[in-house]
Coordinates of all heavy atoms in Angstrom, one line a residue:
A671 N 56.6 161.6 131.8 CA 55.3 161.8 132.3 C 55.2 162.4 133.7 O 54.2 162.3 134.4 CB 54.5 160.4 132.3
I672 N 56.2 163.2 134.0 CA 56.2 163.8 135.3 C 55.1 164.8 135.6 O 54.6 164.9 136.7 CB 57.6 164.5 135.5 CG1 57.9 164.7 137.1 CG2 57.7 165.9 134.8 CD1 59.3 165.1 137.3
G673 N 54.7 165.4 134.5 CA 53.5 166.3 134.7 C 52.2 165.6 135.1 O 51.5 166.0 136.1
F674 N 51.9 164.4 134.5 CA 50.8 163.6 134.9 C 51.0 163.1 136.2 O 50.0 162.9 137.0 CB 50.7 162.4 133.9 CG 49.4 161.6 134.0 CD1 48.2 162.1 134.2 CD2 49.5 160.3 134.1 CE1 47.0 161.4 134.4 CE2 48.4 159.5 134.1 CZ 47.1 160.0 134.4
W675 N 52.3 162.7 136.6 CA 52.5 162.2 137.9 C 52.3 163.2 139.0 O 51.6 162.9 140.0 CB 54.1 161.8 138.1 CG 54.4 161.2 139.3 CD1 54.3 159.9 139.7 CD2 55.0 161.9 140.4 NE1 54.9 159.7 140.9 CE2 55.2 160.9 141.5 CE3 55.3 163.2 140.6 CZ2 55.8 161.2 142.7 CZ3 55.9 163.4 141.9 CH2 56.1 162.5 142.9
F676 N 52.7 164.5 138.8 CA 52.3 165.6 139.7 C 50.8 165.8 139.9 O 50.2 166.0 141.0 CB 52.9 166.9 139.4 CG 54.3 167.1 139.9 CD1 55.4 166.9 139.1 CD2 54.5 167.4 141.3 CE1 56.7 167.0 139.6 CE2 55.8 167.5 141.7 CZ 56.9 167.4 140.9
I677 N 50.1 165.7 138.8 CA 48.6 165.8 138.8 C 48.0 164.7 139.6 O 47.1 165.0 140.5 CB 48.0 165.8 137.4 CG1 48.4 167.1 136.6 CG2 46.5 165.7 137.3 CD1 48.1 167.1 135.1
L678 N 48.4 163.5 139.4 CA 47.9 162.4 140.2 C 48.3 162.5 141.7 O 47.4 162.2 142.5 CB 48.5 161.1 139.6 CG 47.9 160.7 138.3 CD1 48.7 159.5 137.7 CD2 46.4 160.3 138.3
M679 N 49.4 163.0 142.0 CA 49.9 163.1 143.5 C 49.0 164.2 144.1 O 48.6 164.1 145.3 CB 51.3 163.4 143.5 CG 52.3 162.2 143.2 SD 52.1 160.9 144.4 CE 53.0 161.5 145.7
G680 N 48.7 165.3 143.4 CA 47.9 166.3 143.9 C 46.5 165.8 144.1 O 45.9 166.2 145.2
A681 N 46.0 165.0 143.3 CA 44.7 164.3 143.4 C 44.6 163.4 144.6 O 43.7 163.4 145.4 CB 44.1 163.6 142.2
L682 N 45.7 162.7 144.7 CA 45.8 161.7 145.9 C 45.8 162.4 147.2 O 45.1 162.0 148.2 CB 47.1 160.9 145.6 CG 47.3 159.8 146.8 CD1 46.2 158.7 146.9 CD2 48.6 159.0 146.6
F683 N 46.7 163.5 147.3 CA 46.7 164.2 148.7 C 45.4 164.9 148.9 O 44.9 164.9 150.0 CB 47.8 165.1 148.6 CG 49.2 164.4 149.0 CD1 50.1 164.0 148.0 CD2 49.5 164.4 150.3 CE1 51.3 163.5 148.3 CE2 50.7 163.7 150.7 CZ 51.6 163.3 149.7
G684 N 44.8 165.4 147.9 CA 43.5 166.1 148.1 C 42.4 165.1 148.5 O 41.6 165.5 149.4
A685 N 42.4 163.9 147.9 CA 41.4 162.9 148.2 C 41.7 162.5 149.8 O 40.6 162.3 150.4 CB 41.5 161.7 147.3
M686 N 42.9 162.3 150.1 CA 43.1 161.8 151.5 C 42.7 162.9 152.6 O 42.2 162.5 153.6 CB 44.5 161.3 151.6 CG 44.9 160.2 150.8 SD 43.7 158.8 150.9 CE 43.7 158.4 152.7
I687 N 43.0 164.1 152.3 CA 42.6 165.3 153.2 C 41.1 165.2 153.3 O 40.6 165.4 154.4 CB 43.1 166.5 152.7 CG1 44.7 166.5 153.0 CG2 42.5 167.7 153.5 CD1 45.3 167.8 152.4
W688 N 40.3 165.1 152.2 CA 39.0 165.2 152.2 C 38.4 164.0 152.9 O 37.4 164.0 153.7 CB 38.4 165.1 150.7 CG 37.0 165.1 150.6 CD1 36.0 166.1 150.9 CD2 36.1 163.9 150.4 NE1 34.8 165.7 150.8 CE2 34.8 164.3 150.5 CE3 36.4 162.6 150.0 CZ2 33.7 163.5 150.2 CZ3 35.3 161.8 149.8 CH2 34.0 162.1 149.8
I689 N 38.9 162.7 152.7 CA 38.5 161.5 153.5 C 38.7 161.7 154.9 O 37.8 161.3 155.7 CB 39.2 160.3 152.8 CG1 38.6 160.0 151.3 CG2 39.0 159.0 153.7 CD1 39.6 158.9 150.7
A690 N 39.8 162.2 155.3 CA 40.2 162.2 156.7 C 39.3 163.2 157.3 O 38.7 162.9 158.5 CB 41.6 162.6 156.8
Q691 N 39.0 164.4 156.7 CA 38.2 165.5 157.4 C 36.7 164.9 157.4 O 35.9 165.1 158.3 CB 38.3 166.8 156.5 CG 37.3 167.8 157.0 CD 37.6 168.1 158.5 OE1 38.6 167.9 159.0 NE2 36.5 168.8 159.2
T692 N 36.2 164.2 156.4 CA 34.9 163.6 156.3 C 34.7 162.6 157.5 O 33.8 162.6 158.3 CB 34.5 162.9 155.0 OG1 34.7 163.9 154.0 CG2 33.2 162.3 155.0
T693 N 35.7 161.7 157.7 CA 35.7 160.8 158.7 C 35.7 161.5 160.2 O 34.8 161.1 161.1 CB 36.9 159.8 158.7 OG1 37.0 159.1 157.5 CG2 36.8 158.9 159.9
L694 N 36.5 162.5 160.3 CA 36.4 163.2 161.6 C 35.2 164.0 161.9 O 34.8 164.0 162.9 CB 37.7 164.2 161.7 CG 39.1 163.6 161.7 CD1 40.2 164.7 161.6 CD2 39.2 162.8 163.0
R695 N 34.6 164.5 160.9 CA 33.3 165.2 161.0 C 32.3 164.3 161.5 O 31.4 164.5 162.4 CB 32.9 165.9 159.7 CG 31.7 166.8 159.9 CD 31.2 167.4 158.6 NE 32.3 168.1 158.0 CZ 32.8 167.9 156.8 NH1 32.4 166.9 156.1 NH2 33.8 168.7 156.3
K696 N 32.2 163.0 161.0 CA 31.2 162.1 161.4 C 31.5 161.5 162.7 O 30.6 161.3 163.6 CB 31.1 160.9 160.3 CG 30.6 161.2 159.0 CD 30.5 160.0 158.1 CE 29.7 160.3 156.8 NZ 29.6 159.2 155.9
A697 N 32.8 161.3 162.9 CA 33.3 160.8 164.3 C 32.9 161.8 165.5 O 32.5 161.3 166.5 CB 34.7 160.5 164.4
R698 N 32.9 163.1 165.1 CA 32.5 164.1 166.1 C 31.1 164.0 166.5 O 30.7 164.3 167.7 CB 32.9 165.5 165.6 CG 32.6 166.7 166.6 CD 32.8 168.0 165.8 NE 34.3 168.2 165.8 CZ 35.0 168.8 166.7 NH1 34.4 169.1 167.9 NH2 36.2 169.0 166.5
L699 N 30.2 163.6 165.6 CA 28.9 163.4 165.9 C 28.4 162.2 166.8 O 27.3 162.1 167.3 CB 28.1 163.4 164.6 CG 28.1 164.6 163.7 CD1 27.4 164.4 162.4 CD2 27.7 165.8 164.3
D700 N 29.4 161.3 166.9 CA 29.2 160.0 167.7 C 29.6 160.3 169.1 O 30.6 160.6 169.5 CB 29.9 158.9 167.1 CG 29.5 157.5 167.7 OD1 29.6 157.2 168.8 OD2 29.0 156.8 166.9
G701 N 28.7 160.0 170.1 CA 29.0 160.3 171.4 C 30.1 159.4 172.0 O 30.7 159.8 173.0
N702 N 30.5 158.2 171.3 CA 31.5 157.4 171.8 C 32.9 158.2 171.7 O 33.8 157.8 172.4 CB 31.6 156.2 171.0 CG 30.4 155.2 171.3 OD1 30.2 154.7 172.3 ND2 29.5 155.1 170.3
N703 N 32.9 159.2 170.9 CA 34.1 160.0 170.6 C 34.3 161.3 171.4 O 35.2 162.0 171.1 CB 34.4 160.2 169.2 CG 34.2 158.9 168.4 OD1 34.9 157.8 168.7 ND2 33.5 159.0 167.3
A704 N 33.2 161.6 172.2 CA 33.1 162.9 172.8 C 34.3 163.3 173.6 O 34.7 164.5 173.7 CB 31.8 162.9 173.8
A705 N 35.0 162.4 174.3 CA 36.0 162.7 175.2 C 37.2 163.3 174.3 O 38.0 164.2 174.8 CB 36.6 161.5 175.9
F706 N 37.4 162.7 173.1 CA 38.5 163.3 172.3 C 38.3 164.7 171.7 O 39.0 165.5 171.8 CB 38.8 162.2 171.2 CG 39.9 162.7 170.2 CD1 41.2 162.5 170.5 CD2 39.5 163.4 169.0 CE1 42.2 163.0 169.6 CE2 40.5 163.8 168.1 CZ 41.9 163.6 168.5
F707 N 36.9 164.9 171.3 CA 36.7 166.1 170.6 C 36.3 167.1 171.6 O 36.0 168.3 171.1 CB 35.6 165.8 169.6 CG 35.9 165.0 168.4 CD1 35.6 163.7 168.3 CD2 36.8 165.5 167.4 CE1 35.9 163.0 167.2 CE2 37.1 164.8 166.3 CZ 36.7 163.7 166.2
A708 N 36.1 166.9 172.8 CA 35.7 167.9 173.9 C 36.6 169.1 173.9 O 36.1 170.2 174.1 CB 35.5 167.2 175.1
T709 N 37.8 169.0 173.6 CA 38.8 170.1 173.7 C 39.3 170.5 172.4 O 40.3 171.4 172.3 CB 40.0 169.7 174.6 OG1 40.6 168.5 174.1 CG2 39.5 169.3 176.1
I710 N 38.8 170.0 171.3 CA 39.2 170.4 170.0 C 38.1 171.0 169.2 O 37.0 170.5 169.1 CB 39.7 169.0 169.2 CG1 40.7 168.4 170.0 CG2 40.1 169.4 167.7 CD1 41.3 167.0 169.4
S711 N 38.3 172.2 168.7 CA 37.4 172.9 167.9 C 37.1 172.3 166.6 O 38.1 171.8 165.9 CB 37.8 174.4 167.7 OG 37.9 175.0 169.1
P712 N 35.9 172.4 165.9 CA 35.8 171.8 164.5 C 36.6 172.6 163.6 O 36.9 173.8 163.8 CB 34.3 172.1 164.3 CG 33.7 172.2 165.7 CD 34.7 172.9 166.6
A713 N 37.1 171.9 162.7 CA 38.1 172.5 161.6 C 37.3 173.5 160.7 O 36.0 173.3 160.5 CB 38.7 171.5 160.8
T714 N 37.8 174.5 160.3 CA 37.2 175.5 159.4 C 38.0 175.5 158.1 O 39.1 174.9 158.1 CB 37.2 176.9 160.0 OG1 38.5 177.3 160.2 CG2 36.4 176.9 161.3
L715 N 37.5 176.2 157.2 CA 38.1 176.3 155.9 C 39.6 176.8 155.8 O 40.5 176.5 155.3 CB 37.3 177.1 154.8 CG 37.9 177.3 153.4 CD1 38.0 175.9 152.8 CD2 37.0 178.1 152.6
S716 N 39.7 177.9 156.9 CA 41.0 178.5 157.0 C 42.1 177.5 157.5 O 43.3 177.7 157.2 CB 40.9 179.7 158.0 OG 40.5 179.2 159.3
D717 N 41.7 176.5 158.2 CA 42.6 175.4 158.6 C 43.2 174.7 157.4 O 44.3 174.1 157.6 CB 42.0 174.5 159.6 CG 41.5 175.1 160.9 OD1 42.3 175.9 161.4 OD2 40.3 174.8 161.4
F718 N 42.6 174.6 156.4 CA 43.0 173.8 155.2 C 43.7 174.8 154.1 O 44.1 174.1 153.1 CB 41.9 173.2 154.6 CG 41.2 172.1 155.5 CD1 40.1 172.4 156.3 CD2 41.8 170.9 155.7 CE1 39.5 171.6 157.1 CE2 41.2 169.9 156.6 CZ 40.0 170.4 157.3
V719 N 43.7 176.0 154.4 CA 44.3 176.9 153.3 C 45.7 176.5 153.0 O 46.1 176.4 151.8 CB 44.2 178.4 153.6 CG1 45.0 179.3 152.8 CG2 42.7 178.8 153.7
P720 N 46.7 176.3 154.0 CA 48.0 176.0 153.6 C 48.1 174.7 152.8 O 48.8 174.7 151.7 CB 48.7 175.8 155.0 CG 47.9 176.6 155.9 CD 46.5 176.5 155.4
A721 N 47.4 173.6 153.2 CA 47.4 172.4 152.5 C 46.9 172.5 151.1 O 47.5 172.0 150.1 CB 46.6 171.4 153.3
L722 N 45.7 173.3 151.0 CA 45.1 173.4 149.7 C 46.0 174.3 148.8 O 46.1 174.0 147.5 CB 43.7 174.2 149.8 CG 42.7 173.3 150.5 CD1 41.4 174.2 150.7 CD2 42.4 172.1 149.7
A723 N 46.8 175.3 149.4 CA 47.6 176.1 148.5 C 48.8 175.2 147.9 O 49.1 175.3 146.7 CB 48.3 177.1 149.4
I724 N 49.3 174.3 148.8 CA 50.4 173.3 148.3 C 49.8 172.4 147.2 O 50.4 172.2 146.2 CB 51.0 172.5 149.5 CG1 51.7 173.4 150.4 CG2 52.0 171.4 148.9 CD1 52.9 174.2 149.9
I725 N 48.6 171.8 147.5 CA 48.1 171.0 146.4 C 47.8 171.8 145.2 O 48.0 171.2 144.1 CB 46.7 170.3 147.0 CG1 47.2 169.4 148.2 CG2 46.0 169.7 146.0 CD1 46.0 168.9 149.0
G726 N 47.2 173.0 145.3 CA 47.0 173.8 144.1 C 48.3 174.1 143.3 O 48.3 174.0 142.1
L727 N 49.4 174.4 144.0 CA 50.8 174.5 143.4 C 51.1 173.2 142.6 O 51.7 173.2 141.6 CB 51.8 174.8 144.4 CG 53.3 175.0 143.9 CD1 53.3 176.2 143.0 CD2 54.2 175.2 145.2
I728 N 51.0 172.0 143.2 CA 51.4 170.8 142.8 C 50.5 170.5 141.5 O 51.1 170.1 140.4 CB 51.1 169.6 143.7 CG1 52.1 169.7 144.9 CG2 51.3 168.3 143.0 CD1 51.7 168.9 146.0
L729 N 49.2 170.8 141.5 CA 48.3 170.6 140.3 C 48.8 171.5 139.3 O 48.8 171.2 138.0 CB 46.9 170.7 140.7 CG 46.3 169.6 141.7 CD1 44.9 170.1 142.2 CD2 46.3 168.4 140.9
A730 N 49.0 172.8 139.6 CA 49.3 173.8 138.5 C 50.6 173.4 137.8 O 50.8 173.5 136.6 CB 49.4 175.2 139.1
F731 N 51.6 173.1 138.7 CA 53.0 172.7 138.1 C 52.7 171.4 137.2 O 53.3 171.3 136.2 CB 53.9 172.3 139.2 CG 55.3 171.9 138.7 CD1 56.2 172.8 138.0 CD2 55.6 170.6 138.6 CE1 57.4 172.5 137.4 CE2 56.8 170.2 138.0 CZ 57.8 171.2 137.5
G732 N 51.9 170.4 137.6 CA 51.7 169.3 136.9 C 51.0 169.6 135.5 O 51.4 169.0 134.4

Side-chain angles (χ1 to χ4, degrees):
I672 196 167
F674 187 46
W675 183 87
F676 271 105
I677 292 172
L678 289 168
M679 287 295 281
L682 179 61
F683 277 97
M686 293 314 301
I687 290 174
W688 177 75
I689 289 171
Q691 178 57 24
T692 300
T693 300
L694 291 173
R695 188 182 301 119
K696 290 185 177 182
R698 181 181 286 275
L699 299 176
D700 193 299
N702 293 295
N703 311 309
F706 177 83
F707 290 104
T709 59
I710 301 176
S711 302
T714 62
L715 181 60
S716 60
D717 295 317
F718 298 98
V719 168
L722 293 176
I724 296 295
I725 292 173
L727 176 64
I728 293 167
L729 291 172
F731 179 77

